Amino acid sequence: MIRRIVETLDNRLHAQPFLRGALRKAFPDHWSFMLGEIALYCFVTLVATGVFLAFLFTPSMEHVTYDGPYAPLRGASMSSAYASVLQISFEAPAGLLVRQVHHWAALVFLAAIVVHMCRIFFTGAFRRPREINWLIGLTLLLLALFNGFTGYSLPDDLLSGTGLRIAYSVAESVPLVGVASAYLFFGGAYPSDATSERLFVTHILIVPAIIAALITLHLAIVWRQKHTQFSGPGRTERNVVGSPLWPNYALKSAGLFFFIGAVLVALGAFAQINPVWIYGPYAASSVSAPAQPDWYVGWLEGALRLAPPIELHVFGRDIPPVFFPGVLMPLVFFAALYLWPVIERRITGDRAEHHLLDKPSSVPWRIATGSAAVAFGTVLTLAGSDDVQAAHVGIPVEGLVTAYQVLVVVAPIICWFATFRIAREIAARREHLKPESDRIALSRDERGGFAAQPAGAADPPDLQGARR
Amino acid sequence: MSAKRSTDDRRRAERTASVSFVVSAVAAALFALFVAFDLRTQFQGAAFGLALGAMAVGAVIWSLRVLVQVQVEDKRDASADTPLVENTPKRASFLQTSAYVALGALSIALLFPFRALAPAYGSGLYRTKWRPGARVVRDDGTPLRPTDIAVGSVMTVFPEGAIGDASSATLLLRLGWATLQTIAHSSWCPRGCIAFSKVCTHAGCPVGVYRQSTQQLLCPCHQSVFDVARSAAPVSGPATRPLPQLPLVVGSDGYLRASSDYLEPVGPGFWNRS
């Protein structure tokens, strides 16, 4: 049956020459190459669950009185957006499951992208000829972050409404175009009745379409340029060694897809996420305390909390305090990431093509810089929930803020030097163990004398033979 | 010996994989039943998660234990050094230039319809719904006399007719005599009643927490702290400006009224604020 279909298609498309090569394409085996796939499969899950949710969600600020099955909110005034989320959660068959899987998939999607990016960074996989895919990947990260935010803002609950208010203030803080762009995106002064529709179209159409297009491009480029690989016997700059796409790799990857699905469904079933009925419907003059965003916005929330109270007045105009941590800092951070391939090329002067990956420790200053950035992001993310920590430990939040303010400067510096030292140590040790170093292998003859062996004759067995 | 063992292993792996696929099919059927009969989310999720998980186990075992493990090698093409387009003219011709100009003009022109998406901002940026003489009411609409507020307490109030309006949300407190002496605009505080904008001057969250013992207002979003005794000046956290104070009077009917709107824009700053 399948053979007949394939034959029919091939007769019409003449796909054989392409398929013959494609099906035996080599996919190197290394656990870290799985991270991007995890992100991809999260995106598939997001689209599948998102389509389901989009049909049941009502993007409208129209006021309704709740009369559904959730007793504590019966009779409460709320937007139809919020009411439809309650309907999805309590009435639609499998609605709550799909909603929670969708939210978990978004959290894991962002996490997978970030870890995947760290892998690319630390192994130098972004170097020529893969700079384009580094840029596309970063853009995907930004889009995913943005779409995560618009997504969890849709239900119009008290928690996400507060987040939107902050986002509005940050947009408004940009010199010259701030107010205009905030009005453009939110459809007027906050809170505007138009915001819900804007968020909806952005979240389910515009951004996902761009993400899908960029993922396609990302993968097409990977296909065209072929995978990178770690060095090993038989692996050179001129080849790729790995499992053939069909059937070994395809089956393994299908297994990963189902595994990711299983984990996300289990999380959606057993780990409650974003219970908007507990937060209550949004009211502009109310706030839920403590208020925490999804994890990937935590670094921005933390930055807003830690930034010193600075407001600038220039030419009689106003640059409010949220501009620096909310706009300038992320701008500089991402600009540095986008420019990193160029920065590194400037430092090393290395313009050659690289298809063999670096061991992370072999370029100490790169891994040091990367871990300093990770430390910076981690401290900011932790600071984003300082109120919860203060309440748990029972200390005043002001003291904790001061501690984090010190830490956000000191931790990256310490991290840089510590990582640099450790990496250099590891690299030196590896250099020492290298089989083809300038050491000479000796052999002993019957009479007790020593003789140097010809080079290469007595290489020690390889410590990391090709994985089967 | 190893050949025999590997065939045995392969057979066993094949069996395990088939069992996984059967388990997956059964779990999928269970999921369908659970949804049809509207069982709890946990049952639905467990069944569907098991269906996917068993599928994963089957596929991975098939790939790693049943299939023969082979390694293939792809050669890389050497990068081409010849330019793609040869003999491009050094100077852009008028034809090219005019085409670029047309494309540019077209894209800029296409930006203008976006104006429809951003309503014009009139006075909304600078004014709230507080008007001279507007009565101070609670969120259920009850007007307030100074004696309705206990000294040391706080409540959220709105101008009459604009309950729930985001920018008009106001905190009403009643201060003791000693504290009142430290307030700059004490003439705006009839009988010790004092009103501050509830919109945080940092990022616009509602300033929702009152620490009575220290007479401090705290914004739960980014922990800005405002000292009531110093006219709600920021004393800690990222906020830079005090919460604007609303001028209050007691009307002839004995109810609290605003004597005007806030004298400065409430909430966070923006470029053309001043």
Side-chain angles (χ1 to χ4, degrees), chain A residues 409-434:
Chain A
V409 179
V410 174
I413 299 175
I414 293 178
C415 240
W416 199 96
F417 284 103
T419 316
F420 187 80
R421 279 298 296 272
I422 294 170
R424 220 170 40 175
E425 201 75 13
I426 296 174
R429 190 166 303 177
R430 194 169 43 235
E431 196 65 29
H432 185 70
L433 287 174
K434 235 180 188 172

PDB file of all heavy atoms in Angstrom, chain A residues 409-434:
ATOM      1  N   VAL A 409      25.833  42.308  40.103  1.00  0.00           N
ATOM      2  CA  VAL A 409      27.098  42.819  39.584  1.00  0.00           C
ATOM      3  C   VAL A 409      28.230  41.835  39.874  1.00  0.00           C
ATOM      4  O   VAL A 409      29.064  41.551  39.008  1.00  0.00           O
ATOM      5  CB  VAL A 409      27.420  44.201  40.220  1.00  0.00           C
ATOM      6  CG1 VAL A 409      28.746  44.719  39.701  1.00  0.00           C
ATOM      7  CG2 VAL A 409      26.297  45.175  39.943  1.00  0.00           C
ATOM      8  N   VAL A 410      28.226  41.310  41.095  1.00  0.00           N
ATOM      9  CA  VAL A 410      29.358  40.499  41.542  1.00  0.00           C
ATOM     10  C   VAL A 410      29.325  39.089  40.954  1.00  0.00           C
ATOM     11  O   VAL A 410      30.355  38.575  40.501  1.00  0.00           O
ATOM     12  CB  VAL A 410      29.374  40.433  43.092  1.00  0.00           C
ATOM     13  CG1 VAL A 410      30.447  39.466  43.572  1.00  0.00           C
ATOM     14  CG2 VAL A 410      29.616  41.822  43.662  1.00  0.00           C
ATOM     15  N   ALA A 411      28.150  38.468  40.926  1.00  0.00           N
ATOM     16  CA  ALA A 411      28.060  37.064  40.491  1.00  0.00           C
ATOM     17  C   ALA A 411      28.619  36.841  39.082  1.00  0.00           C
ATOM     18  O   ALA A 411      29.393  35.900  38.881  1.00  0.00           O
ATOM     19  CB  ALA A 411      26.618  36.570  40.591  1.00  0.00           C
ATOM     20  N   PRO A 412      28.273  37.692  38.094  1.00  0.00           N
ATOM     21  CA  PRO A 412      28.850  37.469  36.765  1.00  0.00           C
ATOM     22  C   PRO A 412      30.373  37.571  36.762  1.00  0.00           C
ATOM     23  O   PRO A 412      31.049  36.791  36.075  1.00  0.00           O
ATOM     24  CB  PRO A 412      28.230  38.584  35.917  1.00  0.00           C
ATOM     25  CG  PRO A 412      26.966  38.918  36.602  1.00  0.00           C
ATOM     26  CD  PRO A 412      27.251  38.744  38.065  1.00  0.00           C
ATOM     27  N   ILE A 413      30.920  38.506  37.545  1.00  0.00           N
ATOM     28  CA  ILE A 413      32.379  38.670  37.566  1.00  0.00           C
ATOM     29  C   ILE A 413      33.042  37.425  38.158  1.00  0.00           C
ATOM     30  O   ILE A 413      33.980  36.860  37.576  1.00  0.00           O
ATOM     31  CB  ILE A 413      32.763  39.925  38.384  1.00  0.00           C
ATOM     32  CG1 ILE A 413      32.148  41.176  37.726  1.00  0.00           C
ATOM     33  CG2 ILE A 413      34.272  40.062  38.489  1.00  0.00           C
ATOM     34  CD1 ILE A 413      32.351  42.447  38.508  1.00  0.00           C
ATOM     35  N   ILE A 414      32.526  36.991  39.316  1.00  0.00           N
ATOM     36  CA  ILE A 414      33.080  35.786  39.944  1.00  0.00           C
ATOM     37  C   ILE A 414      32.965  34.611  38.989  1.00  0.00           C
ATOM     38  O   ILE A 414      33.907  33.837  38.787  1.00  0.00           O
ATOM     39  CB  ILE A 414      32.338  35.473  41.261  1.00  0.00           C
ATOM     40  CG1 ILE A 414      32.635  36.574  42.294  1.00  0.00           C
ATOM     41  CG2 ILE A 414      32.742  34.104  41.801  1.00  0.00           C
ATOM     42  CD1 ILE A 414      31.918  36.391  43.602  1.00  0.00           C
ATOM     43  N   CYS A 415      31.788  34.494  38.362  1.00  0.00           N
ATOM     44  CA  CYS A 415      31.535  33.392  37.438  1.00  0.00           C
ATOM     45  C   CYS A 415      32.540  33.413  36.292  1.00  0.00           C
ATOM     46  O   CYS A 415      33.044  32.371  35.882  1.00  0.00           O
ATOM     47  CB  CYS A 415      30.120  33.514  36.885  1.00  0.00           C
ATOM     48  SG  CYS A 415      29.126  32.104  37.256  1.00  0.00           S
ATOM     49  N   TRP A 416      32.817  34.608  35.786  1.00  0.00           N
ATOM     50  CA  TRP A 416      33.740  34.719  34.660  1.00  0.00           C
ATOM     51  C   TRP A 416      35.106  34.144  35.026  1.00  0.00           C
ATOM     52  O   TRP A 416      35.634  33.269  34.351  1.00  0.00           O
ATOM     53  CB  TRP A 416      33.873  36.186  34.229  1.00  0.00           C
ATOM     54  CG  TRP A 416      34.419  36.330  32.838  1.00  0.00           C
ATOM     55  CD1 TRP A 416      33.695  36.497  31.702  1.00  0.00           C
ATOM     56  CD2 TRP A 416      35.805  36.303  32.439  1.00  0.00           C
ATOM     57  NE1 TRP A 416      34.530  36.573  30.617  1.00  0.00           N
ATOM     58  CE2 TRP A 416      35.822  36.454  31.024  1.00  0.00           C
ATOM     59  CE3 TRP A 416      37.010  36.150  33.110  1.00  0.00           C
ATOM     60  CZ2 TRP A 416      37.010  36.473  30.291  1.00  0.00           C
ATOM     61  CZ3 TRP A 416      38.189  36.155  32.379  1.00  0.00           C
ATOM     62  CH2 TRP A 416      38.186  36.326  30.985  1.00  0.00           C
ATOM     63  N   PHE A 417      35.644  34.624  36.156  1.00  0.00           N
ATOM     64  CA  PHE A 417      36.997  34.209  36.521  1.00  0.00           C
ATOM     65  C   PHE A 417      37.047  32.746  36.923  1.00  0.00           C
ATOM     66  O   PHE A 417      37.967  32.025  36.538  1.00  0.00           O
ATOM     67  CB  PHE A 417      37.551  35.108  37.635  1.00  0.00           C
ATOM     68  CG  PHE A 417      37.979  36.441  37.111  1.00  0.00           C
ATOM     69  CD1 PHE A 417      37.192  37.567  37.308  1.00  0.00           C
ATOM     70  CD2 PHE A 417      39.152  36.570  36.378  1.00  0.00           C
ATOM     71  CE1 PHE A 417      37.578  38.798  36.791  1.00  0.00           C
ATOM     72  CE2 PHE A 417      39.539  37.789  35.861  1.00  0.00           C
ATOM     73  CZ  PHE A 417      38.747  38.912  36.070  1.00  0.00           C
ATOM     74  N   ALA A 418      36.027  32.296  37.664  1.00  0.00           N
ATOM     75  CA  ALA A 418      36.007  30.899  38.098  1.00  0.00           C
ATOM     76  C   ALA A 418      35.934  29.979  36.886  1.00  0.00           C
ATOM     77  O   ALA A 418      36.728  29.030  36.759  1.00  0.00           O
ATOM     78  CB  ALA A 418      34.816  30.655  39.022  1.00  0.00           C
ATOM     79  N   THR A 419      35.014  30.284  35.960  1.00  0.00           N
ATOM     80  CA  THR A 419      34.866  29.428  34.776  1.00  0.00           C
ATOM     81  C   THR A 419      36.142  29.442  33.945  1.00  0.00           C
ATOM     82  O   THR A 419      36.579  28.414  33.431  1.00  0.00           O
ATOM     83  CB  THR A 419      33.690  29.906  33.909  1.00  0.00           C
ATOM     84  OG1 THR A 419      32.596  30.199  34.756  1.00  0.00           O
ATOM     85  CG2 THR A 419      33.286  28.857  32.909  1.00  0.00           C
ATOM     86  N   PHE A 420      36.743  30.620  33.816  1.00  0.00           N
ATOM     87  CA  PHE A 420      37.955  30.757  33.015  1.00  0.00           C
ATOM     88  C   PHE A 420      39.059  29.847  33.547  1.00  0.00           C
ATOM     89  O   PHE A 420      39.688  29.087  32.802  1.00  0.00           O
ATOM     90  CB  PHE A 420      38.406  32.219  33.025  1.00  0.00           C
ATOM     91  CG  PHE A 420      39.554  32.496  32.105  1.00  0.00           C
ATOM     92  CD1 PHE A 420      39.336  32.668  30.749  1.00  0.00           C
ATOM     93  CD2 PHE A 420      40.846  32.590  32.591  1.00  0.00           C
ATOM     94  CE1 PHE A 420      40.390  32.917  29.887  1.00  0.00           C
ATOM     95  CE2 PHE A 420      41.908  32.842  31.747  1.00  0.00           C
ATOM     96  CZ  PHE A 420      41.675  33.008  30.390  1.00  0.00           C
ATOM     97  N   ARG A 421      39.247  29.915  34.885  1.00  0.00           N
ATOM     98  CA  ARG A 421      40.290  29.093  35.500  1.00  0.00           C
ATOM     99  C   ARG A 421      40.018  27.613  35.297  1.00  0.00           C
ATOM    100  O   ARG A 421      40.903  26.853  34.883  1.00  0.00           O
ATOM    101  CB  ARG A 421      40.392  29.394  37.007  1.00  0.00           C
ATOM    102  CG  ARG A 421      41.190  30.632  37.360  1.00  0.00           C
ATOM    103  CD  ARG A 421      42.635  30.502  36.922  1.00  0.00           C
ATOM    104  NE  ARG A 421      43.350  29.410  37.617  1.00  0.00           N
ATOM    105  CZ  ARG A 421      43.970  29.542  38.764  1.00  0.00           C
ATOM    106  NH1 ARG A 421      43.976  30.708  39.385  1.00  0.00           N
ATOM    107  NH2 ARG A 421      44.589  28.519  39.311  1.00  0.00           N
ATOM    108  N   ILE A 422      38.791  27.210  35.591  1.00  0.00           N
ATOM    109  CA  ILE A 422      38.440  25.785  35.502  1.00  0.00           C
ATOM    110  C   ILE A 422      38.599  25.296  34.066  1.00  0.00           C
ATOM    111  O   ILE A 422      39.193  24.241  33.811  1.00  0.00           O
ATOM    112  CB  ILE A 422      36.988  25.555  35.991  1.00  0.00           C
ATOM    113  CG1 ILE A 422      36.898  25.874  37.486  1.00  0.00           C
ATOM    114  CG2 ILE A 422      36.558  24.116  35.739  1.00  0.00           C
ATOM    115  CD1 ILE A 422      35.492  25.921  38.017  1.00  0.00           C
ATOM    116  N   ALA A 423      38.105  26.097  33.116  1.00  0.00           N
ATOM    117  CA  ALA A 423      38.167  25.682  31.712  1.00  0.00           C
ATOM    118  C   ALA A 423      39.619  25.536  31.265  1.00  0.00           C
ATOM    119  O   ALA A 423      39.974  24.590  30.558  1.00  0.00           O
ATOM    120  CB  ALA A 423      37.431  26.686  30.836  1.00  0.00           C
ATOM    121  N   ARG A 424      40.472  26.481  31.705  1.00  0.00           N
ATOM    122  CA  ARG A 424      41.868  26.418  31.291  1.00  0.00           C
ATOM    123  C   ARG A 424      42.543  25.177  31.856  1.00  0.00           C
ATOM    124  O   ARG A 424      43.322  24.507  31.189  1.00  0.00           O
ATOM    125  CB  ARG A 424      42.603  27.679  31.742  1.00  0.00           C
ATOM    126  CG  ARG A 424      43.563  28.168  30.680  1.00  0.00           C
ATOM    127  CD  ARG A 424      44.109  29.499  31.002  1.00  0.00           C
ATOM    128  NE  ARG A 424      44.426  29.635  32.427  1.00  0.00           N
ATOM    129  CZ  ARG A 424      45.010  30.692  32.951  1.00  0.00           C
ATOM    130  NH1 ARG A 424      45.325  31.708  32.158  1.00  0.00           N
ATOM    131  NH2 ARG A 424      45.267  30.783  34.222  1.00  0.00           N
ATOM    132  N   GLU A 425      42.156  24.884  33.084  1.00  0.00           N
ATOM    133  CA  GLU A 425      42.677  23.695  33.760  1.00  0.00           C
ATOM    134  C   GLU A 425      42.306  22.432  32.970  1.00  0.00           C
ATOM    135  O   GLU A 425      43.160  21.602  32.668  1.00  0.00           O
ATOM    136  CB  GLU A 425      42.059  23.652  35.164  1.00  0.00           C
ATOM    137  CG  GLU A 425      42.800  22.842  36.160  1.00  0.00           C
ATOM    138  CD  GLU A 425      44.066  23.561  36.652  1.00  0.00           C
ATOM    139  OE1 GLU A 425      44.243  24.795  36.415  1.00  0.00           O
ATOM    140  OE2 GLU A 425      44.863  22.877  37.253  1.00  0.00           O
ATOM    141  N   ILE A 426      41.019  22.335  32.631  1.00  0.00           N
ATOM    142  CA  ILE A 426      40.544  21.147  31.907  1.00  0.00           C
ATOM    143  C   ILE A 426      41.213  21.059  30.544  1.00  0.00           C
ATOM    144  O   ILE A 426      41.674  19.987  30.125  1.00  0.00           O
ATOM    145  CB  ILE A 426      39.008  21.198  31.737  1.00  0.00           C
ATOM    146  CG1 ILE A 426      38.325  21.132  33.104  1.00  0.00           C
ATOM    147  CG2 ILE A 426      38.528  20.054  30.861  1.00  0.00           C
ATOM    148  CD1 ILE A 426      36.831  21.322  33.044  1.00  0.00           C
ATOM    149  N   ALA A 427      41.294  22.202  29.869  1.00  0.00           N
ATOM    150  CA  ALA A 427      41.891  22.211  28.530  1.00  0.00           C
ATOM    151  C   ALA A 427      43.355  21.776  28.614  1.00  0.00           C
ATOM    152  O   ALA A 427      43.829  21.008  27.773  1.00  0.00           O
ATOM    153  CB  ALA A 427      41.767  23.593  27.912  1.00  0.00           C
ATOM    154  N   ALA A 428      44.065  22.266  29.651  1.00  0.00           N
ATOM    155  CA  ALA A 428      45.479  21.924  29.797  1.00  0.00           C
ATOM    156  C   ALA A 428      45.639  20.435  30.045  1.00  0.00           C
ATOM    157  O   ALA A 428      46.509  19.776  29.471  1.00  0.00           O
ATOM    158  CB  ALA A 428      46.080  22.714  30.960  1.00  0.00           C
ATOM    159  N   ARG A 429      44.755  19.880  30.876  1.00  0.00           N
ATOM    160  CA  ARG A 429      44.837  18.460  31.173  1.00  0.00           C
ATOM    161  C   ARG A 429      44.605  17.645  29.896  1.00  0.00           C
ATOM    162  O   ARG A 429      45.283  16.671  29.637  1.00  0.00           O
ATOM    163  CB  ARG A 429      43.795  18.110  32.236  1.00  0.00           C
ATOM    164  CG  ARG A 429      43.948  16.732  32.790  1.00  0.00           C
ATOM    165  CD  ARG A 429      43.136  16.555  34.037  1.00  0.00           C
ATOM    166  NE  ARG A 429      43.468  17.526  35.069  1.00  0.00           N
ATOM    167  CZ  ARG A 429      42.838  17.589  36.235  1.00  0.00           C
ATOM    168  NH1 ARG A 429      41.839  16.769  36.484  1.00  0.00           N
ATOM    169  NH2 ARG A 429      43.175  18.490  37.143  1.00  0.00           N
ATOM    170  N   ARG A 430      43.622  18.103  29.092  1.00  0.00           N
ATOM    171  CA  ARG A 430      43.324  17.371  27.873  1.00  0.00           C
ATOM    172  C   ARG A 430      44.506  17.437  26.903  1.00  0.00           C
ATOM    173  O   ARG A 430      44.878  16.470  26.269  1.00  0.00           O
ATOM    174  CB  ARG A 430      42.073  17.937  27.215  1.00  0.00           C
ATOM    175  CG  ARG A 430      41.537  17.010  26.147  1.00  0.00           C
ATOM    176  CD  ARG A 430      40.172  17.407  25.668  1.00  0.00           C
ATOM    177  NE  ARG A 430      40.057  18.826  25.456  1.00  0.00           N
ATOM    178  CZ  ARG A 430      39.145  19.585  26.021  1.00  0.00           C
ATOM    179  NH1 ARG A 430      38.271  19.061  26.851  1.00  0.00           N
ATOM    180  NH2 ARG A 430      39.102  20.867  25.775  1.00  0.00           N
ATOM    181  N   GLU A 431      45.105  18.608  26.845  1.00  0.00           N
ATOM    182  CA  GLU A 431      46.265  18.803  25.975  1.00  0.00           C
ATOM    183  C   GLU A 431      47.367  17.814  26.362  1.00  0.00           C
ATOM    184  O   GLU A 431      48.002  17.203  25.520  1.00  0.00           O
ATOM    185  CB  GLU A 431      46.753  20.250  26.139  1.00  0.00           C
ATOM    186  CG  GLU A 431      47.679  20.714  25.041  1.00  0.00           C
ATOM    187  CD  GLU A 431      46.974  20.771  23.696  1.00  0.00           C
ATOM    188  OE1 GLU A 431      45.744  20.996  23.668  1.00  0.00           O
ATOM    189  OE2 GLU A 431      47.659  20.556  22.683  1.00  0.00           O
ATOM    190  N   HIS A 432      47.502  17.636  27.678  1.00  0.00           N
ATOM    191  CA  HIS A 432      48.531  16.761  28.217  1.00  0.00           C
ATOM    192  C   HIS A 432      48.304  15.309  27.811  1.00  0.00           C
ATOM    193  O   HIS A 432      49.242  14.560  27.599  1.00  0.00           O
ATOM    194  CB  HIS A 432      48.534  16.900  29.740  1.00  0.00           C
ATOM    195  CG  HIS A 432      49.609  16.140  30.409  1.00  0.00           C
ATOM    196  ND1 HIS A 432      50.930  16.499  30.296  1.00  0.00           N
ATOM    197  CD2 HIS A 432      49.578  15.041  31.194  1.00  0.00           C
ATOM    198  CE1 HIS A 432      51.662  15.649  30.983  1.00  0.00           C
ATOM    199  NE2 HIS A 432      50.872  14.750  31.534  1.00  0.00           N
ATOM    200  N   LEU A 433      47.033  14.932  27.717  1.00  0.00           N
ATOM    201  CA  LEU A 433      46.696  13.539  27.420  1.00  0.00           C
ATOM    202  C   LEU A 433      46.630  13.254  25.939  1.00  0.00           C
ATOM    203  O   LEU A 433      46.443  12.132  25.528  1.00  0.00           O
ATOM    204  CB  LEU A 433      45.332  13.197  28.038  1.00  0.00           C
ATOM    205  CG  LEU A 433      45.307  13.049  29.544  1.00  0.00           C
ATOM    206  CD1 LEU A 433      43.880  12.858  30.022  1.00  0.00           C
ATOM    207  CD2 LEU A 433      46.172  11.887  29.991  1.00  0.00           C
ATOM    208  N   LYS A 434      46.774  14.297  25.147  1.00  0.00           N
ATOM    209  CA  LYS A 434      46.599  14.138  23.709  1.00  0.00           C
ATOM    210  C   LYS A 434      47.547  13.088  23.150  1.00  0.00           C
ATOM    211  O   LYS A 434      48.743  13.121  23.412  1.00  0.00           O
ATOM    212  CB  LYS A 434      46.863  15.469  23.011  1.00  0.00           C
ATOM    213  CG  LYS A 434      45.700  15.903  22.139  1.00  0.00           C
ATOM    214  CD  LYS A 434      46.039  17.207  21.500  1.00  0.00           C
ATOM    215  CE  LYS A 434      44.817  17.746  20.803  1.00  0.00           C
ATOM    216  NZ  LYS A 434      45.040  19.092  20.336  1.00  0.00           N
TER     217      LYS A 434
END
